């Protein structure tokens, strides 16, 4: 019986000891938590600050991305503009070359203009100059020009000048031939002068026939 009493006392003492130790541990845990709370608060503040900085970085990156997008769009537009400028320059160069070609095709020298508008068909030199000028006039009037350029005002005006020079020369030629025919009527046939005059008329008409038929 005594042994049982001692055992009961030991168990109670052991239980009391465990309870005391448990209370001590709980107190230490509470004190540890209370002691670490400022550190936790500081850590949370640092995390909040870090999050705010990350948000700023993300906002800056978004802004940079938008700026880069605008730069890319601007570069693309500049590339397209440069391509258009190069195309326009090539087209202008082709047009300039074509216009220079047309100018050369439609150019009639002042010498030939004078030979047509003030022709002297009574002398060998005047007749030769008139024939040469008439052939040049025929060439420029028959020049092959691109249909798109024919509508240009300058070309139309130049062609009107050709028509005016042609009309003027036709009047001079008609008057000259008419005078020759009248002179032939007054001559006796088969004479040397008659034959010479006949050959002159035939030569003159054959050389100017094409210009009269333009």
């Amino acid at each position: 019986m005594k042994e049982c009493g001692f055992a009961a006392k030991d168990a109670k003492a052991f239980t009391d000891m465990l309870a005391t130790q448990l209370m001590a541990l709980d107190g230490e845990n509470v004190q540890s938590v209370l002691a670490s709370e400022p550190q936790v608060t500081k850590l949370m503040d640092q995390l909040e600050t870090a999050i705010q900085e990350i948000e700023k970085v993300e906002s800056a990156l978004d802004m940079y991305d938008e700026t880069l997008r605008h730069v890319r769009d601007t570069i693309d537009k500049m590339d397209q503009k440069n391509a258009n400028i190069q195309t326009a320059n090539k087209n202008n160069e082709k047009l300039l070359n074509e216009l220079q070609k047309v100018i050369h095709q439609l150019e009639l020298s002042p010498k030939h203009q004078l030979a047509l508008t003030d022709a002297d068909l009574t002398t060998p030199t005047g007749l030769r100059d008139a024939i040469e000028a008439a052939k040049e006039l025929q060439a420029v009037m028959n020049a092959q020009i691109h249909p798109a350029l024919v509508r240009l005002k300058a070309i139309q005006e130049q062609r009107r000048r050709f028509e005016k020079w042609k009309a003027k020369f036709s009047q001079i030629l008609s008057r000259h031939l008419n005078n020759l025919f009248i002179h032939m009527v007054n001559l006796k046939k088969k004479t040397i002068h008659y034959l010479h005059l006949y050959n002159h008329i035939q030569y003159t008409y054959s050389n100017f026939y094409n210009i009269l038929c333009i």
Side-chain angles (χ1 to χ4, degrees):
M1 292 293 292
K2 289 182 179 180
E3 292 178 356
C4 290
F6 286 131
K9 288 181 180 180
D10 291 339
K12 185 176 183 305
F14 181 71
T15 302
D16 292 340
M17 182 185 67
L18 289 177
T20 301
Q21 291 179 352
L22 181 60
M23 289 179 63
L25 288 174
D26 289 340
E28 291 177 357
N29 289 335
V30 171
Q31 290 178 358
S32 176
V33 170
L34 292 176
S36 63
E37 184 177 357
Q39 296 180 353
V40 172
T41 302
K42 183 178 180 181
L43 178 61
M44 293 299 295
D45 291 340
Q46 291 176 346
L47 289 175
E48 182 67 23
T49 301
I51 291 173
Q52 292 176 356
E53 292 298 325
I54 291 174
E55 290 177 349
K56 290 180 181 179
V57 171
E58 289 180 346
S59 178
L61 290 176
D62 291 340
M63 183 181 66
Y64 293 152
D65 184 66
E66 183 68 16
T67 302
L68 289 175
R69 187 179 67 81
H70 284 301
V71 170
R72 286 194 298 269
D73 292 342
T74 302
I75 292 175
D76 291 340
K77 291 179 180 178
M78 290 178 63
D79 290 341
Q80 184 62 40
K81 185 176 181 180
N82 289 335
N84 293 338
I85 291 175
Q86 291 179 358
T87 301
N89 288 338
K90 290 180 180 179
N91 291 337
N92 289 336
E93 184 177 356
K94 291 180 181 178
L95 178 59
L96 180 60
N97 292 335
E98 190 66 26
L99 288 175
Q100 290 176 341
K101 177 182 176 182
V102 170
I103 290 173
H104 178 72
Q105 287 178 309
L106 299 182
E107 184 178 10
L108 191 66
S109 69
K111 175 185 175 182
H112 290 147
Q113 295 175 28
L114 183 62
L116 292 171
T117 58
D118 192 22
D120 182 8
L121 303 179
T122 61
T123 64
T125 301
L127 183 60
R128 183 177 63 252
D129 291 343
I131 292 173
E132 181 181 347
K135 290 181 179 179
E136 288 297 321
L137 180 61
Q138 180 186 11
V140 295
M141 293 186 73
N142 292 333
Q144 298 298 318
I145 301 175
H146 193 283
L149 298 178
V150 173
R151 295 191 295 269
L152 292 177
K153 182 178 179 181
I155 293 179
Q156 293 179 358
E157 289 179 352
Q158 183 69 352
R159 285 189 162 182
R160 283 194 289 270
R161 294 189 190 97
F162 293 158
E163 291 294 338
K164 183 178 69 174
W165 295 332
K166 172 189 171 183
K168 178 65 176 178
F169 180 71
S170 296
Q171 291 176 359
I172 295 174
L173 179 60
S174 297
R175 185 167 58 250
H176 177 68
L177 291 175
N178 185 60
N179 291 335
L180 291 177
F181 283 125
I182 293 174
H183 190 50
M184 281 185 63
V185 171
N186 296 327
L187 293 175
K188 293 181 179 180
K189 293 183 179 181
K190 305 302 181 181
T191 63
I192 295 177
H193 189 60
Y194 178 89
L195 292 176
H196 175 73
L197 188 59
Y198 176 80
N199 291 334
H200 175 71
I201 293 175
Q202 188 177 29
Y203 174 78
T204 303
Y205 183 78
S206 63
N207 277 282
F208 295 118
Y209 175 78
N210 290 332
I211 186 64
L212 292 174
C213 295
I214 294 177

